[in-house]
Amino acid sequence: MISVAPAVASAVRHYDLFIDGTWVAARSGRTFTTPNPSTGAPLATIAEGDRADIDRAVQAARKAYEGPWSRVSARDRGRLLYKLAQLIDQQAQRLAELETADNGKPIRESRYIDLPQVVETFEYFAGWATKIEGDTIPLPGPLLNYTLREPVGVCGQIIPWNFPLLMTAWKLAPALAAGNTCVLKPAEQTPVTAMELAALIQEAGFPDGVVNIVPGYGETAGAALASHPDVDKVAFTGSTEVGKLIARAAADNLTKVSLELGGKAPNIVFADADLDQAVEGAMMGIFFNQGQVCCAGSRLFVAEPVRERFLERFQARARSLRVGDPLKPETQMGPQVSDEQLNRIKGYVTIGRREGATVLTGGESPRLSGPLKRGYFFQPTILTNVRNRMRVAQEEIFGPVTAVIPFKEEEELIRQANDTMYGLSAGIWTRDLSRAHRFAKAIQAGTVWINTYNMIHPAMPFGGYKQSGYGRELGRHALDLYTQVKSVWVDLSDKPIGWYAA
Ligand code: NAP
Ligand code: MG
């Protein structure tokens, strides 16, 4: 069952799996613990789903897809999604606190960025439910052709830990708007808010089995979902490495796949930029969400003439960030999500030093007191003297570590900016309008920000070029992922075709 407490600092909670509208223990009886990354203390115990539970959830999703959900009108699907958005909105403070306790992100982010975006994503796709239409296509002769845009079926959705509830919304909202049913596996590090959402899904009145949420480990529950023969579509957000495993697992059944993977985005400061604005953009680019953002501006290209001035300001701003207890409203940076991630980040700083980079500021864990001493904190870190082919400029660190690379002229800059296996996003800071648009065209990335960074909206498509994945989430493009097109032919003549008559 689900035990809900009013404040985060209460006893350890427990969540079962949510399958077919009920809360059930894992078949194996096993559970796992998710810690609070600020202190390392247990936050909740969770039923550990594996292949048997995924199987049960897929069956429930299939039954709902062919049964009750297929009879719910588009209007009612929209109303259910809208109701869910309202329920989330009413609980936004509590959900934000739980998100912060499970993930470590500052409450000012979970409460004023994540939660409002979650609500808006469900609202946005609620509106789409009644607007999914086919086409009629003019053809020569007495023929009518029209297309039907139908749901894909049962969707398996696997999400990461960096935006736990927001990624849940990105996956569920378009899939449900289009009439699919879902089995979602949250990340083992951050399952809490997805389970809380399950309770609200039930309260909103979705038929049993339309949404099933099965937490568990990637190698067991995740792999079972990706390779399940009765799953029609798999949607994954996470590392490029695991994205490849997903694509391989889905290949055997030719399950449709969409992948939103890693990034190593160039964030580019030209000499003519408004430097104060660019410094804030660099901060947002790499320190937001402790740097655990797939579209983070982790390669910071700075034009030679302004490099010194820019770094002086950037360094001062990075040092001034308030790192600490993420539940405190004034905190600007919380802990990394896990000790595993923390060690990975430390490892990359060591690699950077060995490669010849300089740690301008940060580079280690801050000294905090009390229970926070055991948290997974890391200082905002700036590496200078980086060259684009170094590992710290090519590999996704997924932490608050930026690699500063100086540049002299535009052509060479574009070549370097595109010299990466990733292509998720890019940013540019300049007052030169033509240069900004030239850059937007030349860069190989799914999102380009001009004089801003990390902007996301449910109406805008989001996704990657190259090894950052394929498919576009959000916006009307997300509906392409969750619908398939049927072409219907009608002969309008009063005589049969008679091809073989003569
Ligand atoms: P990950 O392994 O890619 O995790 C993403 C999701 O995939 C989780 O739900 C995970 O389950 C699941 N998963 C893992 N192995 C699987 C498998 N064989 N089959 C099916 N599902 C599987 O990411 P991570 O290990 O948490 O983080 C490692 C690195 O990935 C980070 O340092 C970062 O570079 C990158 N990352 C990128 C994003 C992004 O948005 N682009 C997000 C997170 C991480 P478990 O939770 O049980 O592992
Ligand atoms: Mg946790």
Side-chain angles (χ1 to χ4, degrees):
M1 280 317 297
I2 186 165
S3 23
V4 174
V8 159
S10 58
V12 177
R13 303 167 155 65
H14 177 74
Y15 298 92
D16 276 339
L17 313 175
F18 183 69
I19 297 178
D20 207 9
T22 53
W23 299 90
V24 291
R27 281 261 162 91
S28 67
R30 281 202 294 268
T31 61
F32 68 99
T33 303
T34 178
N36 179 337
S38 300
T39 59
L43 175 69
T45 59
I46 320 279
E48 185 201 318
D50 63 19
R51 183 170 292 275
D53 307 289
I54 289 290
D55 226 24
R56 189 155 49 148
V58 170
Q59 276 175 36
R62 175 63 58 195
K63 195 171 59 152
Y65 179 68
E66 282 167 7
W69 194 231
S70 68
R71 293 187 288 275
V72 173
S73 68
R75 181 186 181 203
D76 283 342
R77 290 202 306 270
R79 286 161 74 123
L80 284 165
L81 284 166
Y82 199 77
K83 178 80 193 296
L84 179 58
Q86 287 176 316
L87 292 174
I88 297 166
D89 204 18
Q90 285 158 16
Q91 306 247 348
Q93 179 64 26
R94 198 177 65 87
L95 291 169
E97 287 176 15
L98 285 170
E99 194 77 311
T100 286
D102 202 11
N103 165 281
K105 62 177 69 204
I107 189 73
R108 57 159 71 191
E109 290 178 16
S110 46
R111 181 66 187 89
Y112 300 108
I113 297 179
D114 293 48
L115 260 296
Q117 290 241 358
V118 169
V119 171
E120 201 174 350
T121 301
F122 280 111
E123 284 175 355
Y124 173 81
F125 283 104
W128 265 115
T130 48
K131 293 159 201 75
I132 298 170
E133 300 168 339
D135 304 305
T136 54
I137 293 144
L139 290 173
L143 289 166
L144 168 67
N145 179 291
Y146 63 93
T147 61
L148 296 173
R149 211 166 243 285
E150 298 183 334
V152 179
V154 173
C155 301
Q157 304 176 313
I158 301 171
I159 57 167
W161 42 258
N162 53 346
F163 294 90
L165 196 55
L166 187 57
M167 288 303 105
T168 306
W170 282 29
K171 294 286 180 281
L172 294 181
L176 297 173
N180 302 277
T181 58
C182 301
V183 178
L184 181 127
K185 191 202 88 67
E188 71 195 55
Q189 297 85 348
T190 56
V192 167
T193 47
M195 303 325 291
E196 291 283 338
L197 185 74
L200 299 183
I201 285 168
Q202 208 170 18
E203 191 181 336
F206 284 85
D208 293 348
V210 170
V211 178
N212 307 273
I213 303 190
V214 186
Y217 294 119
E219 307 82 76
T220 51
L225 193 53
S227 62
H228 201 291
D230 203 31
V231 166
D232 300 296
K233 188 222 157 39
V234 174
F236 171 79
T237 299
S239 60
T240 292
E241 195 187 338
V242 174
K244 291 178 185 177
L245 294 178
I246 301 278
R248 279 189 206 115
D252 266 346
N253 307 306
L254 291 179
T255 310
K256 293 169 178 57
V257 179
S258 53
L259 302 170
E260 200 268 276
L261 309 175
K264 193 76 189 180
N267 193 8
I268 298 163
V269 181
F270 273 94
D272 69 351
D274 175 326
L275 273 202
D276 287 330
Q277 204 192 1
V279 166
E280 290 315 302
M283 299 279 292
M284 173 50 98
I286 195 64
F287 301 136
F288 177 60
N289 204 30
Q290 291 75 238
Q292 302 164 143
V293 182
C294 48
C295 47
S298 47
R299 285 185 299 150
L300 188 61
F301 289 91
V302 183
E304 266 304 348
V306 292
R307 186 170 58 103
E308 242 170 76
R309 259 193 308 146
F310 176 89
L311 284 179
E312 205 174 294
R313 291 189 212 181
F314 183 36
Q315 181 183 183
R317 290 287 292 116
R319 286 200 175 136
S320 75
L321 272 189
R322 294 184 294 272
V323 182
D325 182 354
L327 278 168
K328 291 211 168 121
E330 66 272 19
T331 296
Q332 293 167 308
M333 209 165 111
Q336 307 306 128
V337 76
S338 63
D339 54 352
E340 191 185 339
Q341 282 299 121
L342 179 62
N343 289 331
R344 184 185 153 99
I345 294 161
K346 286 180 177 165
Y348 270 111
V349 172
T350 307
I351 290 168
R353 280 200 170 103
R354 265 197 231 125
E355 288 179 307
T358 306
V359 178
L360 186 65
T361 184
E364 54 193 41
S365 290
R367 268 174 270 287
L368 299 174
S369 56
L372 300 183
K373 261 196 263 186
R374 287 183 299 278
Y376 316 134
F377 293 88
F378 199 72
Q379 290 173 338
T381 299
I382 302 172
L383 303 181
T384 53
N385 292 324
V386 177
R387 274 167 293 111
N388 193 53
R389 287 314 302 175
M390 287 182 182
R391 281 185 66 189
V392 288
Q394 289 292 319
E395 297 174 21
E396 190 175 43
I397 298 175
F398 227 62
V401 180
T402 191
V404 180
I405 307 169
F407 74 91
K408 290 209 177 81
E409 47 97 23
E410 192 176 317
E411 210 172 303
E412 171 58 14
L413 165 80
I414 298 277
R415 199 193 58 72
Q416 287 197 48
N418 283 331
D419 180 17
T420 162
M421 72 173 195
Y422 295 113
L424 193 58
S425 59
I428 182 172
W429 301 85
T430 177
R431 291 189 179 104
D432 181 333
L433 197 65
S434 312
R435 169 185 281 153
H437 292 290
R438 221 168 30 238
F439 170 81
K441 200 149 180 244
I443 199 80
Q444 295 154 0
T447 294
V448 178
W449 289 294
I450 298 171
N451 293 332
T452 183
Y453 206 90
N454 269 347
M455 299 287 283
I456 300 274
H457 188 274
M460 293 299 293
F462 187 81
Y465 278 37
K466 301 197 277 187
Q467 291 199 33
S468 290
Y470 40 77
R472 291 292 175 271
E473 299 196 286
L474 301 183
R476 65 186 157 79
H477 297 267
L479 299 167
D480 293 338
L481 303 182
Y482 292 104
T483 56
Q484 48 193 345
V485 175
K486 181 182 281 173
S487 166
V488 182
W489 290 76
V490 187
D491 187 336
L492 299 175
S493 67
D494 48 7
K495 290 193 282 287
I497 289 180
W499 178 261
Y500 294 103

